[in-house]
Amino acid sequence: MKRIGITQRVEIIPNYAERRDCLDQRWADFCFEIGFIPIPLPNVSTEKVSDVLSSLQLDAILLSGGNSISSLTPGAADAAPERDNFECELISQALIRCIPIVGICRGMQMLNNYFGGQLEKIEGHVATEHNIYSLLPDLQLSERVNSYHNWAINRNSLAKNLRPIAADDEGFIEAFDDLEHRVLGLMWHPEREIVFKSRDVNLIKEFFYD
């Protein structure tokens, strides 16, 4: 099986004076569902990223959710600048090495920021569901998805190189890809479904194996 590296959220544990990297166990099941062995990636310093990628020989990278982006909300309790720095360098190295990248929720936001896009603060998009629709005639998507984000991307704030491929009823971008690079972003969490949706699985599999 191919190997996919997954970034991890940072959990801050004051009682132990620890900053812990962690990952939802459901990601392992989802990765096997799409045909990959999951490899959690530690939030190492930027100068170690190249060595990590060279050693692991990954076939794909997934930027997972969790943690506020520190440049947007520097005072947030869950902000983790070490993760932001790690993921920015990870994206850079992956593009150089032509490793395909999927960004989920925060991961999608990180990709948009990396390529020069902007984010907009929104309300009412956490722990809920809403409808989405495809912006491409042949793209089959789940019509209703979960939502766990406080920041959104509109048409004007999407990075210039990214192509919007799905939106919600308010017009916010729910998915994008990049015709130049192997990049896909999804604002919803396919791994959080009790039963994985076949259209989510197929969408990501087709991206990786196309």
Side-chain angles (χ1 to χ4, degrees):
M1 294 181 77
K2 293 186 175 184
R3 292 178 287 185
I4 187 169
I6 310 180
T7 62
Q8 302 184 81
R9 72 171 64 222
V10 176
E11 291 286 349
I12 303 167
I13 315 298
N15 291 344
Y16 288 88
E18 291 181 353
R19 298 177 72 86
R20 298 177 181 173
D21 292 340
C22 62
L23 190 66
D24 187 341
Q25 293 177 353
R26 289 173 289 187
W27 268 124
D29 291 333
F30 190 84
C31 287
F32 280 111
E33 188 75 17
I34 61 174
F36 285 85
I37 294 174
I39 300 177
L41 300 177
N43 289 294
V44 298
S45 57
T46 55
E47 63 268 19
K48 294 183 174 67
V49 174
S50 181
D51 289 340
V52 168
L53 289 180
S54 296
S55 298
L56 294 177
Q57 294 295 301
L58 300 174
D59 300 290
I61 287 171
L62 191 147
L63 306 175
S64 67
N67 290 120
S68 298
I69 297 175
S70 57
S71 61
L72 297 176
T73 52
D78 68 336
E82 71 269 35
R83 181 182 181 187
D84 300 345
N85 294 335
F86 167 68
E87 290 189 347
C88 282
E89 182 63 20
L90 184 65
I91 294 168
S92 294
Q93 291 289 331
L95 294 174
I96 292 171
R97 298 163 189 254
C98 297
I99 302 173
I101 309 169
V102 167
I104 302 298
C105 196
R106 170 202 151 94
M108 175 175 171
Q109 297 169 26
M110 286 293 294
L111 286 167
N112 188 54
N113 273 11
Y114 177 86
F115 288 114
Q118 303 294 322
L119 295 169
E120 175 181 332
K121 190 78 167 65
I122 58 171
E123 303 291 339
H125 281 251
V126 175
T128 186
E129 292 185 348
H130 58 75
N131 297 325
I132 63 170
Y133 58 92
S134 173
L135 299 174
L136 303 178
D138 298 326
L139 181 63
Q140 299 293 315
L141 296 173
S142 300
E143 295 179 356
R144 192 163 181 82
V145 298
N146 58 48
S147 182
Y148 292 92
H149 56 93
N150 289 310
W151 295 85
I153 303 170
N154 62 45
R155 292 294 187 102
N156 295 327
S157 61
L158 184 66
K160 299 301 182 184
N161 62 300
L162 299 176
R163 176 179 67 164
I165 60 175
D168 65 15
D169 290 334
E170 298 175 73
F172 291 116
I173 305 304
E174 284 286 316
F176 60 59
D177 65 5
D178 185 339
L179 297 179
E180 180 180 353
H181 306 102
R182 295 286 303 282
V183 168
L184 175 69
L186 306 179
M187 196 63 86
W188 65 96
H189 286 259
E191 86 285 1
R192 290 187 179 178
E193 298 295 337
I194 296 174
V195 177
F196 300 141
K197 294 182 177 180
S198 60
R199 287 189 174 181
D200 290 343
V201 172
N202 292 337
L203 174 65
I204 296 176
K205 286 178 71 173
E206 288 175 7
F207 167 76
F208 281 135
Y209 292 101
D210 188 13

